[in-house]
């Protein structure tokens, strides 16, 4: 089914355990996720909020990355899946890391620190990702200057990721609609808004202001903590229905 | 100038973030953090202040109520030509200065104290808390709080508290409670005092105390410098200056300001930088706190206790103990992230001057223009004099504009002690 608005579902790899993680991924796809973001625990989750940071701590060391990633591919069929991880951790072995991602069945990668910590060389790293036939989804934020958002929007594959808050999952008082309205005019690509967008009103405002989709993560982790995979899947269904209003 | 005050006073604050050459590294929590410092900001800052800190729109409307107060305190401040200084130097350069010392509190700090206090009052806050270095920010906070019917508590760096008793008196007259930091009112203050009973204090320590005090007593904290929201509010300085220069038919070549945390420089120069006006921008710091020449560009805490989120800035390190110098407002260990980025990119240049150099500059300015500049602002004057003399050498007819961020009438004890030290050194 072709939908107008993209639902990008984030989950930390292997959270809360391998079985429930795979169940959530499978059910997310069945219930309306368009793209999956798989969080690979980094050494220092500097741009993540406390909920996602705790999820990393919980799963660290509980799986073998390269044998477990292909398991995800098996349960999600052809749905696009991108790895979300910090370039900082892989930069010294980037070539082999990207090759392994491809072999593991991933479609792309999103490095949240690419434009922040590696901004002087981001084009070089972007090229390396593409050379491996992977999609390179670029993360931007309100602190990225307009000129640069315009520039990278064209280079971001699948969509441009725009995080509206400086860190994930903390409900800071951001006027989402004015941010999205401003950035919409700069982006010549699909614009997916994320980082703390689980609030229904905020989500509707973002979509009304011209976002092409939403990326949600923290809320799924909180839902799993509270009521297990079922609650998290119910949230996928709810978000899908909100996106389909537009 | 009074007749068209409403036209000169901007209706929007200007934010440079969308116009920076590179992304501003976002604030972040430290590795292995037990709690989120970013989350903590929600507790201590008025909601609208936090929104403006994080919402990176290029222009943000100034509420009518705040504009009215700006007018009431004498904004727009005058843009004056330092004709006598030009003649004294024999320079072909034209020198203009924006006189922020013309506000009731004697410095630019009131420009952000008013909106922050207004936003706090709007959400029903009855008591605000802050820190102050030289005393200007504390004075502005005390006045703004009282103007909006709120109480204020101010942690004043101990060395300034001792050196500037009149600043303390003004804050108290405005209704502020003033304490010399480090105090025994907070755990962090007690820790510092135990380690070093004669500690002169620092802005980083006072900031940590104010934040801890705000948290423990459920008060709201007002921010004096460094954060983007403060520079945003201070943009009234630069925008007014632009409008005033336009009225005069002048185009600035060089823009100069001193830097403690960076808010007066940013507020003055960023609207010019963002609009592509001006050819050269110079930030001036104290050579005794040599953050530009020896500081590192890295993630660091804005406060000494590490309660605020890490930000990427030029810094001497949040544990740095600055020497007790003649310009308390310049003792801060870092520079605002946006200013640091612009300096790192080579867009904003820098200078550092020592006590002797700025004393000489201050005296020249006093004797030619009649205004006693704050010792902090005298750093900018020193740079202006050097720039003007350079123009004399090369015959350049440039227009130099600087921000005289505050007057020094309450810094006379500082100037007295400077005079004594300098005379003593000359006699040796």
């Amino acid at each position: 089914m072709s939908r107008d608005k993209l639902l990008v579902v984030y989950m930390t790899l292997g959270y809360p355990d391998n079985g429930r993680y795979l169940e959530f991924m499978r059910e997310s796809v069945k219930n309306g996720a368009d793209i999956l973001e798989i969080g690979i625990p980094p050494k220092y989750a500097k741009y993540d909020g406390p909920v996602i940071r705790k999820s990393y701590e919980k799963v660290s060391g509980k799986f073998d990355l390269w044998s477990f990633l292909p398991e995800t591919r098996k349960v999600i069929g052809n749905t696009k899946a991108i790895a979300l991880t910090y370039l900082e951790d892989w930069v010294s072995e980037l070539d082999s890391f990207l090759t392994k991602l491809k072999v593991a069945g991933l479609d792309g990668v999103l490095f949240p620190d690419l434009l922040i910590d590696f901004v002087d060389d981001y084009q070089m790293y972007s090229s390396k990702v593409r050379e491996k036939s992977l999609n390179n989804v670029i993360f931007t934020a309100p602190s990225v200057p307009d000129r640069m958002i315009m520039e990278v929007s064209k280079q971001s594959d699948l969509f441009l990721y725009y995080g509206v808050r400086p860190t994930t999952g903390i409900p800071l008082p951001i006027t989402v609609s004015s941010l999205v309205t401003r950035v919409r005019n700069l982006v010549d690509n699909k614009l997916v808004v994320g980082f703390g967008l689980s609030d229904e009103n905020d989500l509707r405002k973002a979509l009304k202001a011209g976002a092409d989709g939403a990326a949600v993560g923290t809320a799924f982790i909180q839902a799993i903590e509270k009521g297990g995979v079922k609650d998290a899947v119910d949230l996928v269904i709810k978000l899908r229905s909100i996106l389909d209003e537009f | 100038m009074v007749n068209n005050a409403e036209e000169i006073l901007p209706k929007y604050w200007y934010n440079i973030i969308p116009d920076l050459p590179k992304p501003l590294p976002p604030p972040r929590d430290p590795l292995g953090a037990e709690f989120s410092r970013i989350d903590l900001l929600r507790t201590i800052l008025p909601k609208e202040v936090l929104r403006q800190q994080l919402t990176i729109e290029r222009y943000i409307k100034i509420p009518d109520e705040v504009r009215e107060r700006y007018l009431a305190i004498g904004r727009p401040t005058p843009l004056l030509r330092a004709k006598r200084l030009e003649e004294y130097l024999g320079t072909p350069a034209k020198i203009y200065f924006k006189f922020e010392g013309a506000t009731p509190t004697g410095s630019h700090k009131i420009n952000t104290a008013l909106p922050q206090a207004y936003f706090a009052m709007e959400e029903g806050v009855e008591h605000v808390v802050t820190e102050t270095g030289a005393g200007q920010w504390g004075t502005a906070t005390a006045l703004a709080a009282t103007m909006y019917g709120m109480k204020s508590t101010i942690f004043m760096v101990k060395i300034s508290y001792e050196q500037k008793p009149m600043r303390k008196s003004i804050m108290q007259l405005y209704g502020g409670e003033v304490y010399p930091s480090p105090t025994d009112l907070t755990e962090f203050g007690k820790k510092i005092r135990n380690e070093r009973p004669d500690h002169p204090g620092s802005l980083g320590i006072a900031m940590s105390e104010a934040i801890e005090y705000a948290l423990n007593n459920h008060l709201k904290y007002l921010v004096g410098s460094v954060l983007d929201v403060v520079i945003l509010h201070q943009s009234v300085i630069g925008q007014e200056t632009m409008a005033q220069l336009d009225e005069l038919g002048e185009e600035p070549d060089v823009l100069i300001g001193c830097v403690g945390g960076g808010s007066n420089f940013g507020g003055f120069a960023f609207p010019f930088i963002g609009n592509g006006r001006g050819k050269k921008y110079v930030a001036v710091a104290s050579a005794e706190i040599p953050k530009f020449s020896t500081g590192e560009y890295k993630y660091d805490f804005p406060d000494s206790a590490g309660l605020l989120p890490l930000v990427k800035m030029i810094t001497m390190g949040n544990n740095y103990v600055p020497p007790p110098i003649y310009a308390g407002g310049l003792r801060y260990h870092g520079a605002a992230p946006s200013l640091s980025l612009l300096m790192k990119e080579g867009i904003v240049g820098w200078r550092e001057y020592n006590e002797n150099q700025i004393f000489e500059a201050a005296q020249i300015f006093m004797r030619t223009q009649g205004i006693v500049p704050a010792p902090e602002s005298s750093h900018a004057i020193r740079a202006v004099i050097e720039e003007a003399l350079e123009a004399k050498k090369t015959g350049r007819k440039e227009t130099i504009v600087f921000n005289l961020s505050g007057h020094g009438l309450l810094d006379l004890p500082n100037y007295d002690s400077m005079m004594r030290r300098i005379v003593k050194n000359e006699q040796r």
Side-chain angles (χ1 to χ4, degrees), chain B residues 1-74:
Chain B
M1 202 54 77
V2 173
N3 292 337
N4 64 353
E6 291 213 33
E7 279 172 42
I8 299 276
L9 183 68
K11 293 187 174 63
Y12 291 82
W13 287 303
Y14 167 73
N15 188 0
I16 200 168
I17 310 300
D19 296 323
L20 286 172
K22 279 186 185 173
L24 189 70
R28 67 190 198 200
D29 286 322
L31 178 62
E34 285 166 16
F35 63 93
S36 170
R37 270 79 175 164
I38 295 169
D39 202 16
L40 183 73
L41 290 177
R42 286 197 304 144
T43 317
I44 60 171
L45 297 184
K47 201 172 168 184
E48 181 60 19
V49 173
L50 182 58
R51 190 188 77 76
Q52 292 184 0
Q53 167 66 21
L54 299 167
T55 299
I56 318 292
E57 292 153 87
R58 186 175 280 109
Y59 288 101
I60 294 177
K61 193 175 184 311
I62 303 174
D64 292 342
E65 296 83 349
V66 174
R67 276 190 99 238
E68 278 168 24
R69 295 294 157 105
Y70 277 160
L71 291 165
I73 57 137

Side-chain angles (χ1 to χ4, degrees), chain A residues 8-234:
Chain A
V8 180
V9 170
Y10 168 91
M11 185 49 65
T12 299
L13 183 63
Y15 182 84
D17 54 51
N18 295 359
R20 282 184 285 177
Y21 159 79
L22 290 172
E23 185 191 347
F24 174 71
M25 288 309 222
R26 184 174 54 240
E27 292 303 311
S28 292
V29 170
K30 270 194 204 162
N31 289 286
D34 297 300
I35 296 173
L36 298 168
E37 267 184 319
I38 303 165
I40 298 175
K43 292 192 184 88
Y44 177 12
K46 48 196 173 185
Y47 304 122
D48 286 300
V51 174
I52 290 186
R53 281 209 297 258
K54 271 186 198 149
S55 77
Y56 288 146
E57 282 164 26
K58 194 161 180 177
V59 302
S60 280
K62 294 206 174 144
F63 54 78
D64 172 64
L65 180 62
W66 302 117
S67 59
F68 190 51
L69 268 181
E71 298 289 316
T72 310
R73 174 51 68 199
K74 279 186 205 157
V75 301
I76 63 170
N78 293 327
T79 304
K80 294 260 189 246
I82 56 173
L84 190 151
T85 188
Y86 286 71
L87 177 57
E88 183 179 64
D89 287 1
W90 304 103
V91 71
S92 61
E93 46 177 313
L94 190 60
D95 221 46
S96 74
F97 171 71
L98 295 171
T99 304
K100 284 184 199 164
L101 273 190
K102 185 74 189 167
V103 171
L106 273 285
D107 298 290
V109 64
L110 188 160
F111 294 120
D113 55 344
L114 178 69
L115 268 198
I116 300 164
D117 301 309
F118 298 87
V119 62
D120 290 326
D121 298 313
Y122 83 90
Q123 279 169 323
M124 179 188 76
Y125 291 116
S126 294
S127 308
K128 281 182 189 273
V129 173
R130 284 174 165 176
E131 278 164 20
K132 299 288 176 188
S133 304
L134 288 164
N135 291 295
N136 183 37
V137 179
I138 297 182
F139 172 78
T140 58
S143 58
V144 178
D146 289 9
R147 198 170 44 80
M148 194 157 228
I149 288 179
M150 290 165 84
E151 188 182 302
V152 300
S153 146
K154 296 176 192 122
Q155 297 180 27
S156 187
D157 302 315
L158 304 178
F159 58 87
L160 182 78
Y161 191 120
Y162 187 66
V164 289
R165 297 192 164 96
T167 190
T168 56
I170 293 179
L172 295 165
I174 299 286
T175 47
V176 172
S177 41
S178 60
L179 277 181
V180 175
T181 305
R182 190 173 74 80
V183 81
R184 174 72 272 176
N185 297 322
L186 310 172
V187 174
D188 187 20
N189 194 346
K190 282 202 178 288
L191 174 68
V192 168
V193 182
F195 266 46
L197 254 195
S198 56
D199 178 270
E200 285 179 36
N201 286 334
D202 272 359
L203 180 54
R204 284 196 175 89
K205 280 181 199 163
L207 294 164
K208 209 172 166 186
D212 297 302
V216 177
T218 299
F220 293 129
I221 291 174
Q222 285 169 328
I224 287 180
E225 284 285 303
K226 199 176 156 203
V229 172
K230 187 187 172 302
D231 272 22
V233 174
D234 284 347

Side-chain angles (χ1 to χ4, degrees), chain B residues 77-95:
Chain B
T77 52
L79 178 76
L80 302 169
R81 183 159 173 192
K83 192 89 179 146
R84 292 265 300 125
L85 177 62
E86 290 169 20
E87 284 163 13
Y88 173 84
L89 299 171
T91 177
K94 286 186 207 166
I95 301 172

Side-chain angles (χ1 to χ4, degrees), chain B residues 14 226-235 262-263 266-267 270 336 338:
Chain B
Y14 167 73
V226 184
L227 293 190
D228 300 318
V229 65
V230 178
I231 301 181
L232 174 86
H233 296 157
Q234 293 294 357
S235 69
S263 75
F270 285 5
S338 47

Side-chain angles (χ1 to χ4, degrees), chain B residues 41-315:
Chain B
L41 290 177
R42 286 197 304 144
T43 317
I44 60 171
L45 297 184
K47 201 172 168 184
E48 181 60 19
V49 173
L50 182 58
R51 190 188 77 76
Q52 292 184 0
Q53 167 66 21
L54 299 167
T55 299
I56 318 292
E57 292 153 87
R58 186 175 280 109
Y59 288 101
I60 294 177
K61 193 175 184 311
I62 303 174
D64 292 342
E65 296 83 349
V66 174
R67 276 190 99 238
E68 278 168 24
R69 295 294 157 105
Y70 277 160
L71 291 165
I73 57 137
R75 298 216 72 84
T77 52
L79 178 76
L80 302 169
R81 183 159 173 192
K83 192 89 179 146
R84 292 265 300 125
L85 177 62
E86 290 169 20
E87 284 163 13
Y88 173 84
L89 299 171
T91 177
K94 286 186 207 166
I95 301 172
Y96 287 96
F97 63 99
K98 181 72 167 160
F99 187 34
E100 288 297 298
T103 60
T105 55
S107 86
H108 67 290
K109 295 286 187 181
I110 194 74
N111 301 332
T112 183
L114 280 176
Q116 289 191 53
Y118 169 72
F119 294 134
M121 181 271 299
E122 278 254 285
E123 58 182 77
V125 172
E126 291 174 355
H127 192 156
V128 293
V129 60
T130 196
E131 74 288 329
T132 192
Q136 279 96 339
W137 170 239
T139 310
T141 298
L143 176 59
T146 202
M147 279 176 114
Y148 288 113
M150 292 181 288
K151 286 185 192 166
S152 59
T153 296
I154 297 137
F155 288 82
M156 185 173 188
V157 174
K158 192 170 133 201
I159 187 76
S160 296
Y161 185 91
E162 287 163 1
Q163 282 179 349
K164 296 187 155 194
M166 282 180 288
R167 274 283 172 204
K168 177 189 64 181
S169 304
I170 291 189
M171 286 184 252
Q172 287 168 337
L173 285 167
Y174 284 147
E177 289 171 359
V178 191
Y179 298 102
S181 165
T183 69
D184 281 332
L185 294 169
T186 67
E187 289 309 311
F188 188 66
K190 281 183 210 165
K191 179 175 165 278
I192 298 284
R193 281 165 67 105
N194 282 340
E195 285 166 6
R196 187 178 156 186
D198 66 337
H199 201 297
S202 72
L203 198 57
I205 292 169
M207 199 184 269
S208 300
E209 285 211 272
I211 293 164
E212 188 186 324
Y213 192 78
L215 279 171
N216 291 344
N217 296 286
H218 309 291
L219 308 177
K220 288 292 174 192
Y221 169 73
L222 301 193
V223 199
S225 192
V226 184
L227 293 190
D228 300 318
V229 65
V230 178
I231 301 181
L232 174 86
H233 296 157
Q234 293 294 357
S235 69
V236 293
I237 308 172
Q239 292 189 87
E240 281 179 14
T241 309
M242 265 202 269
Q244 288 164 323
L245 286 170
D246 287 346
E247 280 211 337
L248 296 166
E250 293 284 5
E251 195 55 39
D253 294 299
V254 187
L255 292 128
I256 297 174
C258 65
V259 174
S263 75
N264 96 73
F265 178 87
F268 171 63
F270 285 5
F272 287 93
I273 297 173
N275 282 280
R277 294 179 65 173
K279 294 171 190 153
K280 189 173 172 183
Y281 315 96
V282 184
V284 192
S286 153
E288 284 83 358
I289 322 287
K291 58 187 163 202
F292 294 156
S293 55
T294 65
E296 275 181 77
Y297 184 54
K298 63 176 187 184
Y299 268 98
D300 192 17
F301 290 110
D303 59 317
S304 297
L307 293 172
L308 291 173
L310 290 162
V311 292
K312 197 165 184 182
M313 61 179 176
I314 293 172
T315 174

